[in-house]
Amino acid sequence: MDQEEGRRQIRLGLFVLHAGYHLAGWRHPQARSGGEDFGLMRETALIAERGLFDLFFLPDTPTSSRGASPSAAARLEPLTLLSALAAVTADIGLVATASTTYNEPFNLARQIASLDHLSNGRAAWNIVTTLSAEVAASFGRAGHLPHAQRYARAAEFIDVAKGLWDSWDDDAFVRDKASGVYFDKAKLHYLDHEGPHFSVRGPLSLARPPQGHPLLVLAGASDDGQALAAQAADIVFSAQNDLAEAQAFYRGIKLRAAQTGRDGGRVLVFPGVLPIIGATEAEARAKFDELQSLVDMEHALPLLSFFLGHDVSGLPLDEPLPDLGPSDAMKSRTALLAGLARTENLTVRELARIVAAGRGHLVVVGSPVQVADTLERWFLEGAADGFNVMVPYLPGGLEDFVEGVVPILQARGLYKTAYAPGTLRDRLGLPRPQSRYATPLSSLERVPVSCDR
Ligand SMILES: Cc1cc2nc3c(=O)[nH]c(=O)nc-3n(C[C@H](O)[C@H](O)[C@H](O)COP(=O)(O)O)c2cc1C
């Protein structure tokens, strides 16, 4: 059990934005980078497994610029990279970000199910609707779908993917040499889905995944995003930098999940956190200052524009951020950053520098004890079930966390000391979804059972 002795424990994901999360992390003297460097990714995954991380989480957008973060401009495709990592890791969950706006359900369901088989039940899909409008031009689309339509398509996409994963009953493949029966035809199901966005007959050309349905992660935080997450996600990944707001978000997700008939306890909320760790607070502060000194406005301003959904490049840098109005891109993050600028009366330059560090996520600068204290507080005070840890640069920023913070959390009984056996769902304490074609237990009970033993 990951919840040792029945006690609720912190879960951890490692959010791997290549070369590190801090915009200038790749420039740190100890940083290593290279979007195609499998060696670095393998080393990172193995360090994360040493720290008993639950998830190795790859964000993605099918475009090069991704808000002009230079070290993420070129990178390996997530499902391909994770399939290679599946072969060199044993326990960590493998989370691939993939878009419902720029994929077809059949292909993607097949790829994610393949990863689940390859990894013995460690695959997860971070469902995104893609916010960069520029992606449309690479897919022959006249334009990017508006926010509400992206979410309507996402909801149908998820339903189709789940249906395809249920194409074969768990015990459909008997492979009986004596009788010559490879699979039981009665245990094969055609989806025959006809909907506003997709028409999918099925079945999927793959046995039901070890987890039944690979783990589903959702990162949208707007109203539509939360509604879909409450309905479909196993983990909700969010950006929060204020404890009270994070608590409200956490309560809201659990409540919405309960309103859709789900057990709110089984929808886990993971805010992102960027720890900058030094042996002492002063050392950590010096490290943070060093990273911030490497930030240049040439990259920080496009990143800010990306997250605000408005071009801020023409605004005076040292005046307060004006009210830019809502955006159709990342509604939740736009609101979070605009709110921060308003309450703290931040200039455009100041906000750009904040975004360069944590992009709106919680940033904790301190000693390992101080970082552990913050995580403990958010966890115990109803703001998080786990965290997506974003390290400023690789692999040193991760080593600081694994060597410094993990042992403290373990000593406090807040974190596991070994991986539990089983699939990713088992480790996270989440149930294996039943197939939509399974006979409900209640009707099974009514069937007279004959047994010749
Ligand atoms: C914490 C977080 C991480 C995200 N990561 C990605 C990503 O890697 N790729 C992507 O295309 N969208 C990503 N998104 C965007 C969402 O999938 C979604 O498209 C966007 O947030 C707009 O939805 P919202 O307005 O509901 O937040 C992320 C969103 C959040 C909140």
Side-chain angles (χ1 to χ4, degrees):
M1 254 170 75
D2 77 321
Q3 310 295 286
E4 281 166 18
E5 294 163 23
R7 185 175 168 180
R8 184 173 163 260
Q9 291 185 318
I10 293 175
R11 285 96 161 183
L12 292 178
L14 176 68
F15 191 78
V16 187
L17 187 63
H18 290 303
Y21 199 71
H22 191 286
L23 180 65
W26 67 277
R27 297 180 66 192
H28 188 275
Q30 283 158 19
R32 280 173 37 211
S33 58
E36 302 79 20
D37 184 350
F38 180 65
L40 175 61
M41 287 298 105
R42 180 178 50 202
E43 191 179 329
T44 302
L46 293 177
I47 299 169
E49 276 199 327
R50 206 166 75 220
L52 306 176
F53 271 75
D54 298 292
L55 308 172
F56 186 95
F57 194 127
L58 286 176
D60 192 54
T61 303
T63 175
S64 171
S65 66
R66 202 178 197 279
S69 183
S71 66
R75 60 198 182 276
L76 293 164
E77 188 283 314
L79 279 156
T80 313
L81 171 55
L82 293 174
S83 297
L85 287 176
V88 295
T89 55
D91 296 295
I92 198 164
L94 304 165
V95 192
T97 295
S99 171
T100 51
T101 305
Y102 296 101
N103 276 298
E104 282 292 319
F106 189 94
N107 272 348
L108 192 60
R110 186 177 179 215
Q111 289 165 324
I112 295 169
S114 296
L115 180 62
D116 207 43
H117 281 285
L118 284 175
S119 63
N120 295 321
R122 292 188 282 136
W125 171 25
N126 177 35
I127 302 160
V128 299
T129 61
T130 301
L131 39 96
S132 306
E134 69 192 57
V135 173
S138 296
F139 287 80
R141 305 271 178 89
H144 194 41
L145 284 180
H147 193 269
Q149 282 181 38
R150 294 205 296 276
Y151 272 107
R153 181 179 158 110
E156 190 181 337
F157 196 119
I158 297 167
D159 185 50
V160 172
K162 286 181 179 173
L164 287 169
W165 290 327
D166 291 342
S167 294
W168 301 85
D169 290 349
D170 286 311
D171 55 355
F173 287 90
V174 289
R175 299 183 175 99
D176 183 5
K177 288 185 180 173
S179 64
V181 176
Y182 197 81
F183 62 82
D184 181 345
K185 283 186 194 140
K187 295 181 174 175
L188 159 64
H189 309 280
Y190 286 82
L191 184 61
D192 284 326
H193 174 88
E194 291 292 339
H197 302 91
F198 307 109
S199 165
V200 182
R201 181 162 183 248
L204 199 65
S205 47
L206 198 60
R208 195 158 190 262
Q211 295 184 90
H213 299 165
L215 194 82
L216 299 181
V217 184
L218 232 139
S222 63
D223 200 49
D224 285 343
Q226 288 187 47
L228 184 60
Q231 193 192 311
D234 298 299
I235 294 182
V236 182
F237 172 31
S238 68
Q240 310 284 341
N241 56 26
D242 174 83
L243 178 59
E245 283 172 25
Q247 287 164 328
F249 180 83
Y250 183 93
R251 281 194 303 273
I253 288 288
K254 306 272 173 172
L255 185 68
R256 277 175 186 249
Q259 283 164 350
T260 69
R262 299 182 69 200
D263 173 355
R266 289 182 166 170
V267 183
L268 307 179
V269 177
F270 280 40
V273 58
L274 176 80
I276 313 262
I277 302 165
T280 61
E281 184 180 343
E283 251 184 48
R285 178 71 40 205
K287 194 182 272 184
F288 182 64
D289 291 344
E290 184 185 6
L291 283 162
Q292 289 299 84
S293 73
L294 299 170
V295 172
D296 56 47
M297 283 298 126
E298 185 196 336
H299 294 110
L301 284 179
L303 189 67
L304 179 60
S305 301
F306 173 77
F307 280 118
L308 287 176
H310 293 280
D311 182 7
V312 296
S313 58
L315 297 177
L317 278 179
D318 295 309
E319 286 180 23
L321 181 81
D323 185 1
L324 299 167
S327 96
D328 190 54
M330 205 178 198
K331 290 191 178 186
S332 50
R333 196 77 60 94
T334 305
L336 183 146
L337 294 173
L340 187 68
R342 215 172 23 249
T343 36
E344 312 257 320
N345 198 26
L346 298 174
T347 65
V348 173
R349 189 193 303 275
E350 286 165 339
L351 188 62
R353 291 177 62 76
I354 288 174
V355 168
R359 301 168 203 225
H361 289 278
L362 177 69
V363 179
V364 189
V365 182
S367 65
V369 169
Q370 288 172 312
V371 173
D373 286 347
T374 304
L375 300 187
E376 176 171 359
R377 181 149 188 237
W378 279 50
F379 176 67
L380 293 181
E381 294 185 13
D385 296 304
F387 299 91
N388 242 343
V389 178
M390 294 133 162
V391 297
Y393 55 87
L394 287 174
L398 175 59
E399 279 164 335
D400 289 345
F401 187 91
V402 167
E403 274 146 35
V405 181
V406 165
I408 296 171
L409 294 175
Q410 287 171 326
R412 294 180 186 178
L414 288 166
Y415 192 59
K416 60 184 162 318
T417 51
Y419 280 113
T423 66
L424 178 58
R425 282 183 180 278
D426 295 333
R427 288 188 181 130
L428 292 170
L430 297 171
R432 185 176 192 271
Q434 271 214 325
S435 164
R436 66 179 63 189
Y437 305 104
T439 318
L441 264 181
S442 53
S443 63
L444 270 181
E445 277 157 16
R446 287 199 297 273
V447 176
V449 181
S450 72
C451 179
D452 53 7
R453 262 183 298 159

